[in-house]
Amino acid sequence: PPHYPPHPQTQHSHYHPHQYYPSYHQHQPQPPSNHRLGYNTDRPTYLFSLPTTDSQSLSDRQCYIRSTFIELFLATAEDVLSRPAKGSQRIHLHQVGIRCAYCVDNNKDAKQKLLQELQHPRVERAVCFPQSISRIYQTVADMQRRHFEKCARIPVQVMGTYKSLKSTRPRGKGKPQGYWESSAREIGLVDSDMGI
């Protein structure tokens, strides 16, 4: 697997580095060999970014979203029970989801979580479960428009950096959607009858 640089901890100063517990994964699906661990500690999470190639195909703003705003995770039994939808909207155990890295309640009791929700209500599209790899690009675009632009939990400094970055991509490098799909497969994601 490629060598990844250290996490940009200055961008997530209120997070602790993710601790990877091998014993936890003895009875869990194994992550792909080509992955970077996410920032949050409530469950195993992984970053979507590929620092060595993202900037060749994506805008600076999309690179920042992939490295800083979103995390990949596997749906738990609790996630499945909390979203009892039917048909295509139904989620399955161990299905890959995408979430806002800042809308996670790490190490907080019920009272602290309630206080945070009252002070900074979580806006829509904080957590999404795209049904296929081909839907990831549009899912993140929806999160960008309907969540990140409105999320009060994202620090002002981080949002300032996001807004200062260019939204135009490098020329002659193919379509962004194609890169999102190919990079998803590169980190080990695959389509199945039960989502990604």
Side-chain angles (χ1 to χ4, degrees), residues 19 26 32 41 50 64 77 81 89-90 96 105 107 120-121 142 147 156 165 173 179 184:
Q19 297 299 312
Q26 288 177 359
T41 58
L50 292 172
Y64 195 61
L81 292 174
Q89 298 301 314
R90 181 184 177 188
V96 173
D105 300 312
N107 305 317
H120 302 292
D142 288 344
H147 182 83
V156 174
L165 295 172
K173 294 295 184 179
Y179 178 78

Side-chain angles (χ1 to χ4, degrees), residues 84-187:
K86 297 181 180 180
S88 62
Q89 298 301 314
R90 181 184 177 188
I91 66 171
H92 301 271
L93 187 64
H94 301 147
Q95 182 177 345
V96 173
I98 303 174
R99 70 182 186 179
C100 171
Y102 291 96
C103 284
V104 180
D105 300 312
N106 280 320
N107 305 317
K108 293 181 179 179
D109 58 27
K111 184 177 180 180
Q112 289 177 313
K113 290 180 181 180
L114 177 60
L115 181 61
Q116 183 182 45
E117 186 64 30
L118 291 173
Q119 293 177 336
H120 302 292
R122 193 165 73 170
V123 296
E124 63 175 334
R125 296 285 176 172
V127 179
C128 297
F129 290 91
Q131 292 299 309
S132 66
I133 289 175
S134 65
R135 291 291 303 165
I136 291 176
Y137 174 78
Q138 188 59 52
T139 296
V140 176
D142 288 344
M143 293 177 73
Q144 182 177 352
R145 183 177 68 257
R146 298 167 62 181
H147 182 83
F148 300 135
E149 299 284 352
K150 303 174 183 178
C151 182
R153 299 186 182 189
I154 298 176
V156 174
Q157 181 179 1
V158 174
M159 183 55 70
T161 299
Y162 163 80
K163 290 183 176 180
S164 72
L165 295 172
K166 294 180 180 179
S167 58
T168 55
R169 63 183 178 84
R171 293 184 178 181
K173 294 295 184 179
K175 295 182 178 180
Q177 183 170 355
Y179 178 78
W180 278 82
E181 292 181 23
S182 63
S183 62
R185 293 187 174 90
E186 184 173 344
I187 64 173

Side-chain angles (χ1 to χ4, degrees), residues 26 49 58 72 195:
Q26 288 177 359
S49 63
L58 302 176
L72 301 174

